[in-house]
Amino acid sequence: MNHRIAFAFACLLWGGACQKEDALPVCTRACTTLTGRLLTAGGQRPLPRAEVTASWRTVRGLRGSATRKARTETDANGFYSLSFAISDAELADGFCQLNFAADPATYYSIGEPGFGFHDLGRDTTVQVPDYLIPRKAFVRLVLTNPDQLPAGPSYLMTCFYSCYGTNLVFSRTILGGGACVGWNRSAAETTLPLPGDQPMMLEPFIHGNSAGVRQLDSLFVPAGTTRTYFITY
């Protein structure tokens, strides 16, 4: 059976979703099982004790509903496995959402980490791709020449890229996995949470510059620490 897997992000659609908190039944036959592993530190370490939740989502116009199907935690090696039953009504409508929740004080998350599974069937086991949630570090960015920037809306940006989610291979051409900040005369300093214990690429660039002026730099910040980085445009 083919399973279409898509990243799941928090969005307004689920802002009014009703999460049913009834006791979760134990599946005994024709179970659907999802197994996988959570990683951190650039994929070099397991992520233990993270919450993993499977829910069944349906859409009704601009609103949605969610029924929790199963919940577990990753073990000491980052592995998880959960099983649940899919009703006839669920098979005919909706999809399965798998979400990961790590301690937000320790780990760096973008949106709502997880996957969406469409066309999921009964009596089957799905091996979910490894998923990376980095430990959290901070970067204090200081603009050295704010007085030289043009007045008006910001068109200068600094972006950070690193491994995240299913993107486990780091390279100088990596995209995503971090934050972007815009600069103007009134905001010459900011501190951002970013992936720690793994390499990042930093790119200060002129937004919308057709000449494509780019300058990449590498950065590594140990988790739980703050590094100051000076930017000059």
Side-chain angles (χ1 to χ4, degrees), residues 187-232:
E189 180 178 326
T190 188
T191 299
L192 300 173
L194 290 166
D197 285 348
Q198 61 186 54
M200 292 181 285
M201 296 306 300
L202 178 152
E203 181 184 15
F205 65 98
I206 301 176
H207 183 63
N209 189 329
S210 60
V213 177
R214 302 182 66 184
Q215 178 183 355
L216 292 170
D217 194 8
S218 60
L219 191 66
F220 185 97
V221 185
T225 68
T226 300
R227 176 173 173 178
T228 298
Y229 189 96
F230 295 96
I231 302 286
T232 302

Side-chain angles (χ1 to χ4, degrees), residues 5 34-37 80 98 100 115 117 126-131:
I5 303 176
L34 304 178
T35 65
R37 192 184 192 196
Y80 64 87
L98 185 68
F100 310 125
F115 295 98
F117 296 85
V126 176
Q127 181 63 48
V128 181
D130 290 348
Y131 197 96

Side-chain angles (χ1 to χ4, degrees), residues 157-178:
M157 298 187 70
T158 302
C159 290
F160 294 85
Y161 312 125
S162 191
C163 294
Y164 188 90
T166 58
N167 189 1
L168 304 177
V169 179
F170 180 80
S171 71
R172 286 185 61 85
T173 59
I174 194 169
L175 294 173

Side-chain angles (χ1 to χ4, degrees), residues 22-205:
D22 298 336
L24 301 179
V26 177
C27 185
T28 58
R29 59 186 298 272
C31 301
T32 299
T33 301
L34 304 178
T35 65
R37 192 184 192 196
L38 297 186
L39 301 170
T40 192
Q44 301 304 306
R45 298 178 185 174
L47 200 169
R49 298 183 300 280
E51 182 178 290
V52 182
T53 304
S55 301
W56 199 266
R57 306 265 191 174
T58 58
V59 179
R60 294 290 182 272
L62 297 178
R63 297 178 64 84
S65 64
T67 302
R68 184 172 294 179
K69 305 294 292 183
R71 178 195 173 279
T72 189
E73 289 187 349
T74 55
D75 64 16
N77 295 311
F79 291 102
Y80 64 87
S81 180
L82 37 69
S83 298
F84 52 91
I86 304 176
S87 69
D88 291 341
E90 289 169 338
L91 280 177
D93 186 15
F95 65 96
C96 177
Q97 176 106 13
L98 185 68
N99 289 119
F100 310 125
D103 180 4
T106 303
Y107 293 92
Y108 175 80
S109 294
I110 301 174
E112 188 177 6
F115 295 98
F117 296 85
H118 298 262
D119 301 329
L120 197 60
R122 294 172 175 151
D123 196 19
T124 186
T125 297
V126 176
Q127 181 63 48
V128 181
D130 290 348
Y131 197 96
L132 170 67
I133 301 178
R135 292 175 61 85
K136 184 183 291 186
F138 296 88
V139 174
R140 174 177 168 258
L141 290 175
V142 179
L143 187 62
T144 63
N145 58 337
D147 293 341
Q148 298 179 29
L149 300 186
S154 170
Y155 72 105
L156 303 177
M157 298 187 70
T158 302
C159 290
F160 294 85
Y161 312 125
S162 191
C163 294
Y164 188 90
T166 58
N167 189 1
L168 304 177
V169 179
F170 180 80
S171 71
R172 286 185 61 85
T173 59
I174 194 169
L175 294 173
C180 291
V181 60
W183 297 104
N184 55 51
R185 288 183 177 182
S186 62
E189 180 178 326
T190 188
T191 299
L192 300 173
L194 290 166
D197 285 348
Q198 61 186 54
M200 292 181 285
M201 296 306 300
L202 178 152
E203 181 184 15
F205 65 98

